[in-house]
Amino acid sequence: MADPIRELSDLLARLPGVGRRTALRLAFHLLGAPEEYARELGQAIARIRDRVRPCSVCRNLTEQDPCAVCGNPRRDRSIICVVAGVPDLWAIEETGSYRGLYHVLHGLLAPLDGVGPEDLHLDALRARVQADGTAEVIVATRPSVEGEATAFVVRDILKDLPVRVSRIASGVPHGGELEYADRVTLGFALDGRRNMP
Amino acid sequence: MADPIRELSDLLARLPGVGRRTALRLAFHLLGAPEEYARELGQAIARIRDRVRPCSVCRNLTEQDPCAVCGNPRRDRSIICVVAGVPDLWAIEETGSYRGLYHVLHGLLAPLDGVGPEDLHLDALRARVQADGTAEVIVATRPSVEGEATAFVVRDILKDLPVRVSRIASGVPHGGELEYADRVTLGFALDGRRNMP
């Protein structure tokens, strides 16, 4: 057996969603792929941790500090959207409908896993809101026990500041079937109903 | 947007079976993974092409030449099993029931894709059989148009040598349902029937 192939496939099998067979298939694919591609991918993986760091303003992961969002003079600096992680920030950016700033928590409140409010950089958020006179903080954590708990903690830490704290809407997703929506989602959809124009 | 993350995820998305969303998920996973793991995986990928080369005897991919199979004095040197690729060799090794040698073609006959007999290193196979006085060559290419065509070419190139050329059995797989087997497989199963003891 060729050990380097086995070695590579064992490392690949530690990726989420990559089983033993898939890892082997990927290893052989990389063996047959253009040498330049394998080298580029390998270097991108090996260096990713060194190349990005948290933005000193919003903790978005970035190569330059401040990040592209915080450094963009055309963003609306009166609104901060609080997200659990960078993938959520990217998802919101992709909607193209948000022009404000962000604050990345890099986690959600999870007391059982030892993640308390002090781990979520909430002091930094409070300091930003205070210093910039932010008008609105939108809490865009996901609608789950942890996401809701985090939203309440964010609201509490900003309670005495003159800032509107809002929460993204939760309900039946676009294109979703009512009959397949779970009860909690349907409950959120009913609670969050709005008058029709 | 953090460019190194996008860059990494674009490279990951070029792997087979990895879509845009999975690539992004993997990129963020690697960002959060232990630095040592990301470095190890990255180096394993970048170097895989340099670390293995074809065995000079059987063309199995290997770090040492000859490969572990060819270099093992306990293997039966009178039988050569012809396979299309190294994954097939590994699959046969895992059965634990084959103790002979191999010959890896690194492909199957595919005239429409420009793969002719001369691309499959068949001359090297013929030379081996001739030099070693091999007793049997088992053609273990898959039961498909290309696999069958390749099997016939292997048989033809060895025709004038005193060697038995055999073909692996094809039929309904172990545990498979007859009603779900395709017609060709069922046809192979009937053609390949054997007397019961």
Side-chain angles (χ1 to χ4, degrees), chain A residues 53-191:
Chain A
R53 52 177 171 264
C55 168
S56 59
V57 180
C58 75
R59 299 190 49 84
N60 179 17
L61 294 173
T62 176
E63 202 167 13
Q64 293 120 15
D65 193 14
C67 75
V69 177
C70 290
N72 182 347
R74 291 167 58 211
R75 304 293 298 217
D76 180 351
R77 314 193 90 72
S78 70
I79 313 180
I80 294 176
C81 180
V82 175
V83 291
V86 180
D88 304 326
L89 184 159
W90 284 33
I92 293 173
E93 282 298 286
E94 272 170 21
T95 66
S97 60
Y98 179 69
R99 297 299 303 161
L101 304 178
Y102 291 94
H103 197 81
V104 183
L105 303 177
H106 291 285
L108 287 174
L109 209 62
L112 294 181
D113 295 332
V115 183
E118 64 285 359
D119 298 308
L120 300 180
H121 317 285
L122 295 176
D123 290 346
L125 173 63
R126 190 187 149 84
R128 272 181 82 184
V129 170
Q130 214 161 5
D132 300 354
T134 308
E136 180 173 1
V137 168
I138 304 171
V139 187
T141 54
R142 70 162 177 270
S144 68
V145 175
E146 293 83 4
E148 296 298 330
T150 307
F152 282 117
V153 172
V154 170
R155 189 204 56 191
D156 282 352
I157 209 159
L158 300 173
K159 211 165 216 169
D160 60 322
L161 299 179
V163 59
R164 177 184 170 202
V165 180
S166 64
R167 182 91 178 89
I168 52 163
S170 174
V172 181
H174 180 74
E177 303 267 17
L178 249 71
E179 62 178 308
Y180 299 131
D182 62 283
R183 282 161 189 228
V184 181
T185 297
L186 220 44
F188 278 134
L190 286 169
D191 287 348

Side-chain angles (χ1 to χ4, degrees), chain B residues 63-85:
Chain B
E63 202 167 11
Q64 294 120 13
D65 192 15
C67 74
V69 177
C70 289
N72 183 346
R74 291 167 57 211
R75 305 290 299 217
D76 180 350
R77 313 194 89 75
S78 69
I79 313 180
I80 296 177
C81 179
V82 175
V83 291

Side-chain angles (χ1 to χ4, degrees), chain B residues 159-173:
Chain B
K159 213 165 214 170
D160 60 322
L161 299 180
V163 59
R164 177 185 170 200
V165 180
S166 63
R167 182 90 178 90
I168 52 163
S170 174
V172 181

